[in-house]
Amino acid sequence: MDPIKLFSTSLVTLGASFLLASILTSRQIYRLAPAAFRGRWVILSGLICFFLLGYLAFIVLQFTDIPFPLELLVGLVFMGGASFVFLIIDLSKKSIDNLHDLNNNLERLIAERTAELVQANYSLHDQIVEREAIEARLQEAKSAAEAANLAKSEFLANMSHEIRTPMNAILGFTEILLKNANHEQRQEYLQLVQNSATRLMDLINDILDFSKIEANKVDLESISFDLESLAQSCLKMLAVKAHDKGLELVCSIDHQVPRQVCGDPGRLRQILINLLGNAIKFTEKGEIILRIALDKGGTAALNPGEIRLHFTVQDTGIGIPPELCEIIFDSFTQGDGSTTRKYGGTGLGLTISARLAKMMGGDIRVESTPGKGSTFHLTTCLTTAKADNTPITLATEEEIKDLSVLIVDDNSANRQVLATVIAPYIKRIESVADGKTALEKVRSSTFNLLLIDTQMPGMDGFDLAEQLKTIPASAHTPIILLTSSGQRGDAGRLQRLGVDGYLMKPVGSSELMDAIRAVLFKPLLPNGSRPLVTRHLLQERAMHLRILLADDEPINRQLVSILLEEKEYQVRVVENGQQALEAMAHSTFDAILMDVSMPVKDGMQTTRAIREREKESGRHIPIIAMTGHAMRSDQERCLAAGMDYYLAKPIDTSQLFSLLEKIGQNTNENSHGT
């Protein structure tokens, strides 16, 4: 074969193969080519194909006998057709690219619109959920408002009942007394009137306390007090109620609890009395136990010197259903309205206690089983304090009988009540209605004591006390202020003013006389000032003296017990010497009132047995002999047996209290190492 034709055939074959490969791979190559190069790639591929096809046609024509003009025409037609084909391909590619771009844009727009619709759907769903939640909250608020309205309505009904009941008794019995009543009836009716007035006063105090708490007007004092004495005083106040129902009142204080602490004893006592009172109210049989221990489970950090105490009041009463254990601390709410009708009460006590506990850095919760009893848990934060080693000495009735007292109060009824209370003990009493008149009185007369009300128009008690201290004639005259609404900081202000006593109204006759006798003989503190005599201080002083009374005569036991309890002493009563020894084996006493003639073991035998025991313990308990034998030899026999003092029956109460005051002073001095 001719080499030229062989070479031409080879080229044609190679060109055809390349053309076929280009056609087969053009789509893949087109896709792999960069987007900016795709249009040029199509044109280049078309030109290559056109060249190869033209060259192929040229080679074919070389082996035929077709004339040259026809060959040229065929070549031109072929070139024109090929060019048209490649032009169509190029336009198609551009159209495809445009369509592809439009498709991409459409897909993007559809995706964006879909996302917007989905977001709008989610937003609409959230709005629906939020609206449903708002509607649920509105419904809940409506239900709560209806429940609160119902609770307040029930509270107002209970309050109306609680107020009207004692008022009805007060007004009714007062009317009977004014009309006709014999002596025995008068005493009974007056007792009922007093009980009703006390109940009404407690109710008013609850209402005032709650209103102050709601208005954030309650501030806590921070003063030193004896925790054990406070707990014992709470039990003593409720002992009669518990005894009437046959209930046992028990107090247990852990040995780790410090006795002397600093805080607000009045508010703490209020909470404990409320919890103990409720326990007694809802318990028919069994016992009520007050426990005090350090709270080691609290999570809140304590400041240096602070302690967290855990009080529990456990009873064996009716209990509280679990679903009601939370709402009993809500305002105007009791566990069950029927309990109000059966047991009485307004439902404010626990609410006030819970608020006060929170203000004292703690809280209140309850655990209860219906039919088995309840346990209330109270936690408070207090600070440790050093014991007050200043004993309080009371003047005797003989020492105060020649005093002159000025009463300053704008209320005439209050002036009359105060004058009536102190009249049996005080020789000269005068009263005025305002501070200006009091200043004129003091400048023209001499008084040994001033009793001043704090709430007076024009010049209140604080301003009057401040001005009295600037007058030479009254600069050192003892002053006792009486108030109906004590505030935080009053104690410090009064001590700066030099006021000697501060009592909350209403003031009992015994409390007032003890305060008067105390301010007249107050000792100086190490810094040269004198302690402020308050109700709390008087209660602590009385609670420190525990007395054992041994007498076989029921009438004598009852009489002496009443006399001692009126003076706020703790009294344990036994019927003979053997019972006295047994009581001393389980309890500690500061003094013993011992009848000489008793069965089983008389006073002489009992005293000797006590003194034998004391040889081992090293402690000496003062013993006061009480006997109907009034001979001097009887007194000598009692003293020889180991008794310290001797009282002949019938008992001289002033002499008895004078001896107890002396024993109490010695006890305070010994306990503080003075």
Side-chain angles (χ1 to χ4, degrees):
M1 179 180 291
D2 188 1
I4 296 175
K5 291 185 178 181
L6 179 63
F7 177 72
S8 299
T9 304
S10 300
L11 287 177
V12 170
T13 304
L14 181 62
S17 300
F18 178 76
L19 179 62
L20 179 62
S22 297
I23 294 172
L24 294 175
T25 60
S26 61
R27 186 175 181 182
Q28 285 74 15
I29 294 174
Y30 179 79
R31 288 182 177 179
L32 293 174
F37 189 68
R38 288 176 181 173
R40 296 176 183 176
W41 171 254
V42 170
I43 296 173
L44 181 60
S45 299
L47 291 175
I48 293 172
C49 292
F50 171 73
F51 172 76
L52 293 174
L53 290 174
Y55 185 73
L56 177 63
F58 175 75
I59 293 300
V60 171
L61 290 176
Q62 293 297 321
F63 292 95
T64 61
D65 294 328
I66 299 176
F68 177 76
L70 183 59
E71 291 178 355
L72 181 62
L73 179 63
V74 171
L76 291 175
V77 172
F78 179 78
M79 290 177 61
S83 298
F84 179 76
V85 169
F86 285 110
L87 179 62
I88 294 300
I89 293 173
D90 184 57
L91 292 176
S92 299
K93 291 294 184 180
K94 291 182 179 179
S95 298
I96 291 172
D97 287 341
N98 291 335
L99 289 174
H100 182 71
D101 292 339
L102 289 174
N103 181 65
N104 290 339
N105 289 335
L106 182 59
E107 289 180 353
R108 179 178 57 79
L109 292 175
I110 292 173
E112 291 176 355
R113 185 58 179 165
T114 302
E116 291 176 357
L117 291 175
V118 170
Q119 185 62 35
N121 184 52
Y122 284 150
S123 177
L124 181 60
H125 179 267
D126 291 341
Q127 291 178 5
I128 294 173
V129 171
E130 183 179 358
R131 181 164 183 173
E132 290 177 349
I134 293 174
E135 291 178 352
R137 288 196 295 269
L138 289 174
Q139 183 62 39
E140 184 179 349
K142 179 184 176 184
S143 301
E146 292 175 348
N149 187 51
L150 180 62
K152 288 188 177 182
S153 299
E154 187 174 349
F155 166 77
L156 290 175
N158 294 336
M159 186 65 69
S160 176
H161 170 76
E162 291 293 321
I163 292 176
R164 291 176 181 275
T165 299
M167 282 301 300
N168 179 65
I170 293 171
L171 296 174
F173 284 115
T174 302
E175 183 178 356
I176 293 174
L177 287 170
L178 291 173
K179 288 182 178 179
N180 50 4
N182 57 41
H183 179 72
E184 293 183 358
Q185 289 177 322
R186 186 178 296 113
Q187 291 298 112
E188 180 182 355
Y189 294 161
L190 285 174
Q191 184 64 51
L192 292 172
V193 169
Q194 185 183 42
N195 293 341
S196 299
T198 301
R199 180 179 172 187
L200 187 59
M201 191 68 210
D202 292 340
L203 178 62
I204 292 172
N205 286 336
D206 280 348
I207 297 173
L208 293 177
D209 276 344
F210 181 75
S211 63
K212 288 180 181 178
I213 291 173
E214 287 289 292
N216 294 322
K217 296 295 184 181
V218 173
D219 290 314
L220 300 179
E221 286 286 358
S222 181
I223 58 177
S224 177
F225 65 96
D226 188 298
L227 183 62
E228 180 180 347
S229 296
L230 183 141
Q232 293 294 341
S233 68
C234 293
L235 296 179
K236 187 176 184 302
M237 291 177 64
L238 299 168
V240 174
K241 290 183 179 179
H243 177 75
D244 291 343
K245 299 183 72 172
L247 303 174
E248 288 287 335
L249 271 181
V250 182
C251 180
S252 173
I253 303 178
D254 189 86
H255 66 91
Q256 293 182 327
V257 175
R259 179 163 180 168
Q260 203 72 22
V261 294
C262 190
D264 193 326
R267 293 301 184 182
L268 180 58
R269 180 185 287 108
Q270 181 179 355
I271 297 174
L272 291 178
I273 288 177
N274 186 275
L275 296 180
L276 291 167
N278 274 351
I280 293 173
K281 181 194 296 187
F282 297 110
T283 303
E284 297 300 329
K285 60 181 180 179
E287 61 187 11
I288 291 95
I289 303 175
L290 169 63
R291 294 186 176 91
I292 307 176
L294 292 178
D295 182 26
K296 300 178 181 179
T299 57
L302 295 175
N303 296 321
E306 277 190 338
I307 57 171
R308 185 181 288 106
L309 295 181
H310 184 190
F311 301 79
T312 59
V313 177
Q314 182 179 356
D315 64 58
T316 55
I318 61 176
I320 307 170
E323 65 273 13
L324 301 179
C325 284
E326 291 296 330
I327 67 171
I328 59 174
F329 298 108
D330 294 341
S331 305
F332 316 113
T333 305
Q334 286 190 330
D336 183 0
S338 62
T339 62
T340 302
R341 294 186 291 274
K342 181 177 179 180
Y343 297 100
T346 62
L348 283 180
L350 288 178
T351 301
I352 294 172
S353 297
R355 302 282 184 90
L356 290 176
K358 186 171 294 186
M359 293 175 64
M360 297 170 73
D363 62 6
I364 291 182
R365 59 185 176 85
V366 62
E367 298 173 350
S368 185
T369 302
K372 294 185 178 181
S374 305
T375 300
F376 281 82
H377 298 266
L378 163 68
T379 58
T380 62
C381 283
L382 302 173
T383 56
T384 56
K386 293 183 178 180
D388 183 6
N389 58 2
T390 305
I392 294 183
T393 304
L394 300 186
T396 64
E397 293 181 5
E398 185 69 22
E399 291 172 322
I400 67 173
K401 68 178 183 179
D402 294 327
L403 299 182
S404 57
V405 177
L406 176 63
I407 300 172
V408 186
D409 197 317
D410 62 308
N411 187 285
S412 60
N414 287 341
R415 296 197 301 271
Q416 183 178 358
V417 168
L418 290 174
T420 303
V421 169
I422 66 176
Y425 311 96
I426 306 297
K427 182 177 181 179
R428 174 173 160 245
I429 303 171
E430 294 189 36
S431 61
V432 295
D434 57 75
K436 182 179 179 180
T437 308
L439 293 173
E440 295 174 355
K441 275 282 185 183
V442 168
R443 290 189 177 98
S444 60
S445 302
T446 301
F447 296 94
N448 303 109
L449 179 67
L450 302 172
L451 295 178
I452 303 174
D453 181 41
T454 57
Q455 287 84 27
M456 294 187 296
M459 183 186 301
D460 64 19
F462 296 99
D463 295 334
L464 176 58
E466 187 174 8
Q467 294 199 33
L468 286 169
K469 291 301 179 181
T470 64
I471 301 174
S474 60
H476 301 289
T477 303
I479 297 175
I480 297 178
L481 286 184
L482 308 175
T483 181
S484 300
S485 57
Q487 299 293 330
R488 180 179 175 86
D490 282 353
R493 181 183 179 187
L494 292 171
Q495 287 182 319
R496 290 192 297 272
L497 291 175
V499 173
D500 300 85
Y502 188 54
L503 299 177
M504 290 286 294
K505 294 180 180 180
V507 183
S509 58
S510 176
E511 180 184 14
L512 179 60
M513 290 310 303
D514 281 349
I516 291 174
R517 294 165 62 197
V519 299
L520 294 174
F521 283 86
K522 290 196 305 177
L524 286 173
L525 296 174
N527 60 3
S529 64
R530 298 181 185 273
L532 181 67
V533 174
T534 61
R535 173 177 294 174
H536 168 70
L537 195 63
L538 293 172
Q539 289 175 338
E540 268 203 2
R541 174 194 158 276
M543 291 304 300
H544 283 166
L545 206 59
R546 298 173 289 269
I547 299 174
L548 176 63
L549 170 61
D551 198 318
D552 64 319
E553 288 291 336
I555 296 178
N556 288 339
R557 292 198 303 271
Q558 184 177 9
L559 173 62
V560 177
S561 296
I562 292 174
L563 292 174
L564 295 175
E565 288 174 353
E566 284 182 350
K567 293 294 183 179
E568 301 292 335
Y569 290 116
Q570 296 182 67
V571 185
R572 173 76 178 273
V573 179
V574 294
E575 299 179 6
N576 56 61
Q578 183 61 40
Q579 292 182 1
L581 293 174
E582 293 173 357
M584 293 181 64
H586 299 90
S587 302
T588 302
F589 300 97
D590 299 304
I592 301 175
L593 297 180
M594 185 79 72
D595 184 28
V596 174
S597 302
M598 294 184 295
V600 184
K601 194 180 286 288
D602 63 25
M604 302 289 190
Q605 296 170 327
T606 306
T607 300
R608 293 189 187 98
I610 292 173
R611 297 309 181 210
E612 285 295 323
R613 290 183 180 180
E614 289 177 345
K615 291 180 180 180
E616 299 179 1
S617 65
R619 184 172 183 266
H620 182 85
I621 302 175
I623 300 177
I624 303 174
M626 300 187 303
T627 177
H629 303 289
M631 302 298 291
R632 183 174 182 80
S633 58
D634 297 319
Q635 180 178 357
E636 293 174 351
R637 284 193 311 112
C638 291
L639 297 178
M643 297 182 180
D644 299 273
Y645 307 99
Y646 174 89
L647 291 177
K649 294 180 180 180
I651 301 298
D652 184 338
T653 55
S654 62
Q655 188 179 3
L656 171 62
F657 292 137
S658 178
L659 287 175
L660 292 176
E661 293 295 341
K662 181 178 180 181
I663 293 172
Q665 182 176 355
N666 292 335
T667 300
N668 284 334
E669 292 176 353
N670 293 333
S671 64
H672 298 299
T674 59

